[in-house]
Amino acid sequence: MRPDPRLTVSQWADQHRMLSSRASAEPGRYRTARTPYMRDIMDALSPTNPVQRVVFMKAAQVGATEAGCCFIGFVIHHAPGPMLCVQPTVEMAKRASRQRIDPLIEESPAIRDRVKPARSRDAGNTMLSKDFPGGTLVLTGANSAVGLRSMPARYLFLDEVDAYPASADEEGDPVGLAEARSLTFAHRRKVFLASTPTIRGMSRIEREYEASDQRRFFVPCPHCGSMQWLKFERLRWDKGRPETVRYHCESCDQEIAEHHKGAMLAAGVWRATATGTDPGTIGFHISALYSPPGWQSWRDIVRLWEAAQGNDDALRVFKNTVLGETWTESGEAPDWQRLYDRRETWSNGTVPAGGLFLTAGADVQKDRVEIDVWAWGRNLESWLIDHIVIDGGPEHAETWAALERVLGQTWTHASGAALKIARLAIDSGYESSAVYTWARRMGVGQVSPIKGVEGFNRSSPVSGPTLVDATEGGKKIRRGARLWTVAVSTFKTETYRFLRLERPTDEELAEGIRYPAGTVHLPSWADSEWCKQFVAEQLVTVKNRRGFTKLEWQKLRERNEALDCRVYARAAAWIVGADRWSEAKWRDLEKQVAMNDRLPASDPEAGQIRRTVRRPRRIIKFSGMH
């Protein structure tokens, strides 16, 4: 008859949670004292706390997911009710079930008997559903609208919300859909949102944190006792020697060695630094500088910082996963006049020595097709090789015949070899049926229809292919063409970043200093109109109808074909595998273009396409697709 003790989530975890070697680097009894900054976060999820929503913007590997598991175990044991755990995808939800939830249940005796053992004929314990007395735990993915509206939920654990898609099956924001499941529980609901942030203006967790009271974990200086929250800017070290790192107190400026961190964390307290817009929501932020002893050290952090210098992608990862802060995309359009003034001179239609293979981007317009041919070398260094305009709309057979002749054209390399287009990416946004039909006729090995989509996806900016219907000889062929999806914002941002790179001087080049990775070389024949089109857009922050901000590319001038063709050609380079090639592959391409033997190659037949006179050369067959 005795009631259960009134425990908070952290007290429950210390008494009942056991960590499995399958799910933790430190198996055994869970100790909140190991990560003292997690105590207040977990306790805010207890039913005795009046807070309804807990927002946690954090670095990677600071214990947030384990805190979420403690929240789940507490609900099963002490405060049963319907609970929804949302991962970015259904596949990740299945992985979390195997790697996190199952060990949580199996290794903690207090809840092991409350969840039925998994049996093939027992629907009470499946991979995505766990029944227990008084409630159920459902795991789903943010990409599944069905999973998000399948049940009312008193408790929500929304993990890695910045990795959620913009819309769940085109039914709306996954976070909004999930939180709608908890509204009927009014003040009794608990929502835990945790994530590593991504891009400023698009980050869900940053938006939620900035609307909260923005709590920071203040720790005392071991010398003067001044309370402060740790900032990366206060780290000092000798360049190239991460082992010399020390933290400088912002009050007394004395050096704080890392061995003090354990005592500092134990004496730390959370303090609000702003006034939240919703009294029922509190927010926490922490960086990897707070990682407990034995985890990520200050020396490791400094080493990562030094390794990331000069690489925007690595700096973005550092800021997101180590500092727990958003990355600001720089979408400011470079001045077209500056691009025009630093054009370089090489023969029209000739590929400079650094270019090792060619791709092309084709933009289909109502009355013409514009094509830009780009050469690519190591580290994504690129050269504009040719600009071709085919007069005539996509309804004319002559237009497609001329485009086919472009595929057969060759360009002379500085070594004398002849290069053909390895891959042509063609936009399918206008007259998609005609594009699919032509691409099917040309074959999947050299032509890729693409469709641009909004948003940033650095890990995989090109996805696919998906099969779409095509027409051949007047007959519809189901799933007859392959369509690739391109996150155009990613490649536009990358292009603008490359255009802003500082270049070595003539003296430095003479001394053997190379161009930075990603340098874009423009030829002297690129006129002012082309340069203006190349920087015709700018990245801006806009608000939608619901008041949420997002990053969006907007035109500064009407014509932007040069930028679009560059994005398509860059997508073609991704499709052939240039971002993933091994050193051996690059050496093989260099060997091919450096060989001295020549074979004569006849010029393509004349037509509607601009040509240049070329000497005999060897034709290289490109085999980069994988």
Side-chain angles (χ1 to χ4, degrees), residues 414-470:
S415 68
L419 301 181
K420 296 182 69 174
I421 294 173
R423 174 77 56 160
L424 181 142
I426 181 169
D427 179 35
S428 63
Y430 182 75
E431 290 290 347
S432 56
S433 179
V435 172
Y436 298 154
T437 300
W438 180 78
R440 174 180 169 82
R441 192 167 70 247
M442 293 300 100
V444 299
Q446 198 177 6
V447 176
S448 296
I450 62 173
K451 178 180 72 172
V453 295
E454 292 185 3
F456 293 83
N457 188 340
R458 289 178 176 271
S459 61
S460 184
V462 182
S463 58
T466 56
L467 298 178
V468 294
D469 297 344

Side-chain angles (χ1 to χ4, degrees), residues 155-189:
Y155 306 105
L156 292 177
F157 175 28
L158 310 181
D159 197 16
E160 292 300 339
V161 296
D162 269 19
Y164 289 5
S167 179
D169 295 335
E170 299 184 357
E171 292 193 19
D173 177 40
V175 173
L177 291 175
E179 289 208 53
R181 302 293 93 200
S182 67
L183 295 178
T184 55
F185 289 91
H187 65 279
R188 295 185 298 139
R189 69 173 183 153

